[in-house]
Amino acid sequence: MFGRWKSGAKGAGDAPRATGRKAAGDAAEARALALLRAQGLALVERNYRVARGPRARGGEIDLVLRERDGTLVFVEVRARRSDAHGGAAASIGAAKQRALVFAAQHYLLRFGSPPPCRFDVVAIDGDRIEWLRGAFEA
C-alpha cells in the first residue's frame, strides 16, 4: 500500500489540510506583497528556493523586492491566526534566520557586485499586518 492513504490511518486527513495551508500561505504572501508595493518596492522574485544537497533543505525566500534606491530586500512572510504564543514575528528563530541567510547568499551569487541588501519580515497576526524593516542582520 505504498503511496496510498489508508482510511483511518494516522495522517489520512493531512492532504486537504496541506492544501489549505498552501492557500493560506499564498494569501498571506499576496497581502504582504500588496503592502510592500504600496510602499514603493518592486517585486523581483517570489518563492526563491535553494537546497543544500539531495536530502538537506537549504532555504526559501518568500519575496525578493527592490527599493527605489536599489537595495535588495529579502522578505519572510509569517502569518498566524492571532498573536497568542508570541505572534508571527516571534516564530522566526535562529534556524530560520540561518536558512534565509543561506538562500540570500546563494541568490546574490548571480551578481558580479552585490547590491546593498537587508532582511525584512512581514508579520500577519489575524487582521493585523506589520512590516519589520531590517528585522535581523546577516
Side-chain angles (χ1 to χ4, degrees), residues 24-94:
D26 289 347
E29 283 182 15
R31 276 185 73 190
L33 183 56
L35 169 73
L36 298 171
R37 280 185 166 161
Q39 297 298 317
L41 282 76
L43 180 65
V44 176
E45 192 153 347
R46 196 170 184 168
N47 299 315
Y48 178 78
R49 292 181 179 97
V50 61
R52 286 188 192 266
R55 291 185 204 99
R57 296 180 69 173
E60 177 186 353
I61 301 168
D62 294 328
L63 302 169
V64 180
L65 298 108
R66 191 174 296 275
E67 286 267 18
R68 290 182 183 125
D69 68 1
T71 300
L72 208 54
V73 183
F74 300 106
V75 180
E76 173 67 9
V77 178
R78 283 296 174 112
R80 298 290 182 265
R81 284 180 237 176
S82 74
D83 60 359
H85 308 291
S91 71
I92 303 172

Coordinates of all heavy atoms in Angstrom, one line a residue, residues 24-94:
A24 N -3.5 29.4 2.4 CA -3.4 30.5 3.5 C -2.0 31.2 3.3 O -1.9 32.4 3.4 CB -3.5 29.9 4.8
G25 N -1.0 30.4 3.0 CA 0.4 31.0 2.8 C 0.4 31.9 1.6 O 1.0 33.0 1.6
D26 N -0.2 31.4 0.5 CA -0.3 32.2 -0.7 C -1.0 33.5 -0.4 O -0.6 34.6 -0.9 CB -0.9 31.5 -1.8 CG 0.0 30.3 -2.4 OD1 1.2 30.3 -2.0 OD2 -0.6 29.5 -3.1
A27 N -2.1 33.5 0.3 CA -2.9 34.7 0.6 C -2.1 35.6 1.5 O -2.2 36.8 1.3 CB -4.2 34.3 1.3
A28 N -1.4 35.1 2.5 CA -0.5 35.9 3.3 C 0.6 36.6 2.5 O 0.8 37.8 2.6 CB 0.1 35.1 4.4
E29 N 1.2 35.9 1.6 CA 2.2 36.5 0.7 C 1.6 37.6 -0.2 O 2.2 38.6 -0.4 CB 2.9 35.4 -0.1 CG 3.9 34.6 0.6 CD 4.6 33.6 -0.2 OE1 4.5 33.6 -1.5 OE2 5.2 32.7 0.4
A30 N 0.4 37.3 -0.7 CA -0.3 38.3 -1.5 C -0.6 39.6 -0.7 O -0.4 40.7 -1.2 CB -1.6 37.8 -2.1
R31 N -1.0 39.5 0.5 CA -1.2 40.6 1.4 C 0.1 41.4 1.6 O 0.1 42.6 1.6 CB -1.8 40.2 2.7 CG -3.3 40.0 2.7 CD -3.8 39.7 4.1 NE -3.8 40.9 5.0 CZ -4.0 40.9 6.3 NH1 -4.3 39.7 6.9 NH2 -4.0 42.0 7.0
A32 N 1.1 40.6 1.9 CA 2.4 41.3 2.2 C 2.9 42.0 0.9 O 3.4 43.1 1.0 CB 3.4 40.2 2.6
L33 N 2.8 41.3 -0.2 CA 3.3 42.0 -1.5 C 2.5 43.2 -1.8 O 3.1 44.2 -2.2 CB 3.1 41.0 -2.6 CG 3.6 41.4 -4.0 CD1 5.1 41.9 -3.9 CD2 3.5 40.3 -5.0
A34 N 1.2 43.2 -1.6 CA 0.4 44.4 -1.8 C 0.9 45.6 -0.9 O 1.0 46.7 -1.3 CB -1.1 44.1 -1.6
L35 N 1.1 45.3 0.4 CA 1.6 46.3 1.3 C 2.9 46.9 0.8 O 3.1 48.1 0.8 CB 1.8 45.7 2.7 CG 2.5 46.5 3.7 CD1 1.6 47.7 4.2 CD2 3.0 45.7 4.9
L36 N 3.9 46.0 0.5 CA 5.2 46.4 0.1 C 5.2 47.2 -1.2 O 5.9 48.2 -1.4 CB 6.1 45.2 0.0 CG 6.3 44.5 1.4 CD1 7.1 43.2 1.2 CD2 7.0 45.5 2.4
R37 N 4.4 46.8 -2.2 CA 4.3 47.5 -3.4 C 3.7 48.9 -3.2 O 4.1 49.9 -3.8 CB 3.4 46.7 -4.4 CG 4.1 45.6 -5.1 CD 3.3 45.0 -6.2 NE 4.1 44.2 -7.1 CZ 3.6 43.2 -7.8 NH1 2.3 43.0 -7.9 NH2 4.4 42.5 -8.6
A38 N 2.7 49.0 -2.3 CA 2.1 50.3 -2.0 C 3.2 51.2 -1.4 O 3.0 52.5 -1.4 CB 0.9 50.1 -1.0
Q39 N 4.2 50.7 -0.8 CA 5.3 51.5 -0.2 C 6.4 51.7 -1.2 O 7.4 52.3 -0.8 CB 5.9 50.7 1.1 CG 4.9 50.6 2.2 CD 4.4 51.9 2.7 OE1 5.1 52.8 2.9 NE2 3.1 52.0 2.9
G40 N 6.2 51.3 -2.4 CA 7.1 51.7 -3.5 C 8.2 50.6 -3.8 O 9.0 50.8 -4.7
L41 N 8.1 49.4 -3.2 CA 9.0 48.4 -3.6 C 8.5 47.6 -4.8 O 7.3 47.5 -5.1 CB 9.2 47.4 -2.4 CG 10.1 47.8 -1.2 CD1 9.4 48.8 -0.4 CD2 10.5 46.6 -0.4
A42 N 9.5 47.1 -5.6 CA 9.2 46.4 -6.8 C 9.5 44.9 -6.7 O 10.6 44.6 -6.2 CB 9.9 47.0 -8.0
L43 N 8.6 44.0 -7.0 CA 8.8 42.6 -7.0 C 9.9 42.2 -8.0 O 9.9 42.5 -9.1 CB 7.6 41.8 -7.2 CG 7.7 40.3 -7.2 CD1 8.0 39.8 -5.8 CD2 6.4 39.6 -7.6
V44 N 10.9 41.4 -7.5 CA 11.9 40.8 -8.3 C 11.7 39.3 -8.5 O 11.8 38.8 -9.6 CB 13.3 41.1 -7.7 CG1 14.4 40.4 -8.5 CG2 13.6 42.6 -7.6
E45 N 11.4 38.7 -7.4 CA 11.2 37.2 -7.4 C 10.3 36.8 -6.3 O 10.4 37.4 -5.2 CB 12.5 36.5 -7.4 CG 12.4 35.0 -7.7 CD 13.7 34.5 -8.3 OE1 14.6 35.2 -8.7 OE2 13.8 33.2 -8.4
R46 N 9.6 35.7 -6.5 CA 8.8 35.1 -5.4 C 9.1 33.7 -5.2 O 9.4 32.9 -6.1 CB 7.3 35.3 -5.9 CG 6.3 35.1 -4.8 CD 4.9 35.5 -5.4 NE 4.0 35.4 -4.3 CZ 2.8 35.8 -4.3 NH1 2.3 36.4 -5.4 NH2 2.0 35.7 -3.3
N47 N 9.2 33.3 -3.9 CA 9.5 31.9 -3.5 C 10.8 31.3 -4.1 O 10.8 30.3 -4.8 CB 8.3 31.0 -3.9 CG 7.0 31.4 -3.1 OD1 7.1 31.7 -2.0 ND2 5.9 31.5 -3.9
Y48 N 11.9 32.0 -3.9 CA 13.2 31.6 -4.3 C 13.6 30.5 -3.4 O 13.7 30.7 -2.2 CB 14.2 32.7 -4.3 CG 15.6 32.3 -4.7 CD1 15.9 32.1 -6.0 CD2 16.5 32.1 -3.7 CE1 17.1 31.7 -6.4 CE2 17.8 31.7 -4.1 CZ 18.1 31.5 -5.4 OH 19.4 31.1 -5.8
R49 N 13.9 29.3 -3.9 CA 14.3 28.1 -3.1 C 15.7 27.7 -3.5 O 16.0 27.7 -4.7 CB 13.3 27.0 -3.3 CG 12.0 27.2 -2.8 CD 11.1 26.0 -3.0 NE 9.7 26.2 -2.5 CZ 8.7 26.6 -3.2 NH1 8.8 26.9 -4.5 NH2 7.5 26.8 -2.6
V50 N 16.4 27.2 -2.5 CA 17.7 26.6 -2.7 C 17.9 25.4 -1.8 O 17.4 25.5 -0.6 CB 18.9 27.6 -2.6 CG1 18.9 28.2 -1.2 CG2 20.2 27.1 -2.9
A51 N 18.5 24.3 -2.3 CA 18.8 23.1 -1.4 C 20.2 23.1 -1.1 O 21.1 23.5 -1.8 CB 18.3 21.9 -2.2
R52 N 20.5 22.5 0.1 CA 21.9 22.2 0.5 C 22.5 20.9 -0.1 O 23.7 20.8 -0.3 CB 22.0 22.1 2.0 CG 21.9 23.4 2.7 CD 22.2 23.3 4.2 NE 21.8 24.4 4.9 CZ 22.6 25.5 5.2 NH1 23.8 25.4 4.8 NH2 22.1 26.5 5.9
G53 N 21.6 20.1 -0.5 CA 22.0 18.8 -1.0 C 20.8 17.9 -1.3 O 19.7 18.4 -1.2
P54 N 21.0 16.7 -1.8 CA 19.9 15.8 -2.2 C 18.9 15.6 -1.1 O 17.7 15.4 -1.3 CB 20.5 14.5 -2.6 CG 21.9 14.6 -2.3 CD 22.3 16.0 -1.9
R55 N 19.3 15.6 0.2 CA 18.4 15.3 1.3 C 18.3 16.4 2.3 O 17.7 16.3 3.3 CB 18.8 14.0 2.0 CG 18.5 12.8 1.2 CD 18.8 11.5 2.0 NE 19.1 10.5 1.0 CZ 20.3 10.1 0.7 NH1 21.4 10.6 1.3 NH2 20.5 9.1 -0.2
A56 N 19.0 17.5 2.0 CA 19.1 18.6 3.0 C 18.4 19.8 2.5 O 18.6 20.2 1.4 CB 20.5 18.9 3.3
R57 N 17.5 20.4 3.3 CA 16.8 21.6 2.9 C 17.8 22.7 3.1 O 18.5 22.8 4.0 CB 15.6 21.8 3.8 CG 14.6 20.7 3.6 CD 13.4 20.9 4.5 NE 12.7 22.0 4.0 CZ 11.5 22.4 4.4 NH1 10.9 21.7 5.4 NH2 10.9 23.5 3.9
G58 N 17.7 23.7 2.2 CA 18.5 24.9 2.3 C 17.8 26.0 2.8 O 18.0 26.4 4.0
G59 N 16.9 26.6 2.0 CA 16.1 27.7 2.5 C 15.2 28.2 1.4 O 15.4 27.9 0.2
E60 N 14.3 29.1 1.8 CA 13.4 29.7 0.8 C 13.2 31.1 1.2 O 13.0 31.4 2.4 CB 12.0 29.0 0.8 CG 11.0 29.7 -0.1 CD 9.6 29.1 0.0 OE1 9.4 28.0 0.6 OE2 8.7 29.7 -0.7
I61 N 13.2 32.0 0.3 CA 12.9 33.4 0.5 C 11.5 33.6 -0.1 O 11.3 33.4 -1.3 CB 13.9 34.3 -0.1 CG1 15.3 34.0 0.5 CG2 13.6 35.8 0.1 CD1 16.4 34.7 -0.3
D62 N 10.6 34.1 0.7 CA 9.2 34.3 0.2 C 9.1 35.3 -0.9 O 8.5 35.1 -1.9 CB 8.3 34.7 1.4 CG 8.1 33.5 2.4 OD1 8.2 32.4 2.0 OD2 7.9 33.8 3.6
L63 N 9.7 36.5 -0.6 CA 9.7 37.6 -1.6 C 11.0 38.3 -1.7 O 11.7 38.5 -0.7 CB 8.6 38.7 -1.2 CG 7.2 38.2 -1.0 CD1 6.4 39.3 -0.3 CD2 6.6 37.8 -2.3
V64 N 11.5 38.5 -2.9 CA 12.7 39.4 -3.1 C 12.2 40.6 -3.8 O 11.5 40.5 -4.9 CB 13.7 38.6 -4.0 CG1 14.9 39.5 -4.2 CG2 14.1 37.3 -3.4
L65 N 12.4 41.8 -3.2 CA 12.0 43.0 -3.8 C 13.1 44.0 -3.9 O 14.2 43.8 -3.3 CB 10.8 43.6 -2.9 CG 9.6 42.8 -2.8 CD1 9.5 42.2 -1.5 CD2 8.4 43.6 -3.1
R66 N 12.9 45.1 -4.6 CA 13.9 46.1 -4.7 C 13.3 47.5 -4.3 O 12.3 47.9 -4.7 CB 14.4 46.2 -6.1 CG 15.7 47.1 -6.2 CD 16.3 47.0 -7.6 NE 16.8 45.7 -8.0 CZ 18.0 45.2 -7.7 NH1 18.8 45.9 -7.0 NH2 18.4 44.1 -8.2
E67 N 14.1 48.2 -3.4 CA 13.7 49.5 -3.0 C 14.0 50.5 -4.2 O 14.8 50.1 -5.1 CB 14.5 50.0 -1.8 CG 14.1 49.3 -0.5 CD 13.1 50.2 0.3 OE1 12.5 51.1 -0.3 OE2 12.9 49.9 1.5
R68 N 13.5 51.7 -4.1 CA 13.8 52.7 -5.2 C 15.2 53.0 -5.2 O 15.8 53.3 -6.3 CB 12.9 53.9 -4.9 CG 11.5 53.8 -5.1 CD 10.7 55.1 -4.9 NE 9.3 54.8 -5.0 CZ 8.4 55.1 -4.1 NH1 8.7 55.7 -3.0 NH2 7.1 54.9 -4.4
D69 N 15.9 52.9 -4.1 CA 17.4 53.3 -4.1 C 18.3 52.1 -4.5 O 19.5 52.2 -4.5 CB 17.8 53.7 -2.7 CG 17.8 52.6 -1.6 OD1 17.4 51.5 -1.9 OD2 18.1 52.9 -0.5
G70 N 17.7 51.0 -4.9 CA 18.4 49.8 -5.4 C 18.7 48.7 -4.4 O 19.2 47.7 -4.7
T71 N 18.3 49.0 -3.1 CA 18.5 48.0 -2.1 C 17.7 46.8 -2.4 O 16.5 46.9 -2.7 CB 18.2 48.6 -0.7 OG1 19.0 49.7 -0.4 CG2 18.3 47.5 0.4
L72 N 18.3 45.6 -2.3 CA 17.6 44.3 -2.5 C 17.0 43.9 -1.1 O 17.7 43.9 -0.1 CB 18.5 43.3 -3.0 CG 18.0 42.1 -3.8 CD1 17.2 42.7 -5.0 CD2 19.1 41.3 -4.3
V73 N 15.7 43.6 -1.1 CA 15.1 43.3 0.2 C 14.6 41.8 0.2 O 13.8 41.5 -0.7 CB 13.9 44.2 0.5 CG1 13.3 44.0 1.8 CG2 14.4 45.7 0.4
F74 N 15.1 41.0 1.1 CA 14.7 39.6 1.2 C 13.6 39.6 2.3 O 13.9 40.0 3.5 CB 15.8 38.7 1.6 CG 16.9 38.7 0.6 CD1 18.1 39.4 0.8 CD2 16.8 38.1 -0.6 CE1 19.1 39.4 -0.1 CE2 17.8 38.1 -1.6 CZ 19.0 38.8 -1.3
V75 N 12.4 39.1 2.0 CA 11.3 39.2 2.9 C 10.8 37.8 3.3 O 10.5 37.0 2.4 CB 10.1 40.0 2.3 CG1 8.9 40.1 3.2 CG2 10.6 41.4 1.9
E76 N 10.6 37.6 4.6 CA 10.0 36.4 5.1 C 8.6 36.9 5.5 O 8.4 37.8 6.3 CB 10.8 35.9 6.3 CG 10.1 34.8 7.1 CD 10.0 33.5 6.3 OE1 10.5 33.4 5.2 OE2 9.2 32.6 6.8
V77 N 7.6 36.1 5.1 CA 6.2 36.4 5.4 C 5.7 35.3 6.4 O 5.9 34.1 6.2 CB 5.3 36.4 4.2 CG1 3.8 36.6 4.6 CG2 5.7 37.4 3.2
R78 N 5.2 35.8 7.6 CA 4.7 34.9 8.6 C 3.3 35.3 9.0 O 3.0 36.4 9.2 CB 5.6 34.9 9.9 CG 6.9 34.2 9.7 CD 6.6 32.7 9.5 NE 7.8 32.0 9.3 CZ 8.4 31.1 10.1 NH1 7.8 30.8 11.2 NH2 9.5 30.4 9.7
A79 N 2.4 34.3 9.0 CA 1.0 34.6 9.4 C 0.6 33.6 10.5 O 0.9 32.4 10.4 CB 0.1 34.4 8.1
R80 N -0.2 34.2 11.4 CA -0.8 33.4 12.5 C -2.2 33.9 12.6 O -2.5 35.0 12.3 CB 0.0 33.6 13.8 CG 1.4 33.1 13.8 CD 1.5 31.6 13.7 NE 2.8 31.1 13.7 CZ 3.6 30.8 12.6 NH1 3.0 31.0 11.4 NH2 4.8 30.3 12.7
R81 N -3.1 33.0 13.2 CA -4.5 33.4 13.4 C -4.6 34.5 14.4 O -5.5 35.3 14.4 CB -5.3 32.2 13.8 CG -5.6 31.3 12.6 CD -6.4 30.2 13.0 NE -5.7 29.0 12.6 CZ -6.0 27.8 12.9 NH1 -7.1 27.5 13.6 NH2 -5.3 26.8 12.5
S82 N -3.7 34.5 15.4 CA -3.7 35.5 16.5 C -2.2 35.7 16.9 O -1.3 35.0 16.5 CB -4.6 35.1 17.6 OG -3.9 34.1 18.4
D83 N -2.1 36.7 17.8 CA -0.7 36.9 18.3 C -0.5 36.2 19.7 O 0.5 36.5 20.4 CB -0.5 38.4 18.5 CG -1.4 39.1 19.5 OD1 -2.3 38.4 20.0 OD2 -1.3 40.3 19.7
A84 N -1.3 35.2 19.9 CA -1.1 34.3 21.1 C 0.3 33.6 20.9 O 0.7 33.4 19.7 CB -2.2 33.4 21.3
H85 N 0.9 33.2 21.9 CA 2.2 32.5 21.9 C 3.3 33.3 21.2 O 4.1 32.7 20.5 CB 2.0 31.1 21.2 CG 0.9 30.3 21.8 ND1 1.0 29.8 23.0 CD2 -0.3 30.0 21.3 CE1 -0.1 29.1 23.3 NE2 -1.0 29.2 22.2
G86 N 3.3 34.6 21.3 CA 4.3 35.4 20.7 C 4.0 36.0 19.4 O 4.7 36.9 18.9
G87 N 3.1 35.5 18.6 CA 2.8 36.0 17.3 C 3.7 35.6 16.2 O 4.6 34.8 16.4
A88 N 3.4 36.1 15.0 CA 4.1 35.6 13.8 C 5.5 36.0 13.8 O 6.4 35.2 13.5 CB 3.4 36.3 12.6
A89 N 5.9 37.2 14.2 CA 7.3 37.6 14.2 C 8.1 36.8 15.1 O 9.3 36.5 14.8 CB 7.4 39.1 14.5
A90 N 7.6 36.4 16.2 CA 8.4 35.7 17.2 C 8.6 34.2 16.7 O 9.5 33.6 17.3 CB 7.6 35.6 18.5
S91 N 8.0 33.8 15.7 CA 8.2 32.4 15.2 C 9.4 32.3 14.3 O 9.7 31.2 13.8 CB 6.9 32.0 14.5 OG 6.8 32.6 13.2
I92 N 10.1 33.4 14.1 CA 11.3 33.3 13.2 C 12.5 33.2 14.1 O 13.0 34.2 14.6 CB 11.4 34.5 12.3 CG1 10.1 34.6 11.4 CG2 12.6 34.5 11.4 CD1 10.0 35.9 10.7
G93 N 12.9 32.0 14.4 CA 14.0 31.7 15.3 C 15.4 31.7 14.5 O 15.5 32.0 13.3
A94 N 16.4 31.4 15.3 CA 17.8 31.4 14.7 C 17.9 30.4 13.5 O 18.6 30.8 12.5 CB 18.8 31.0 15.8

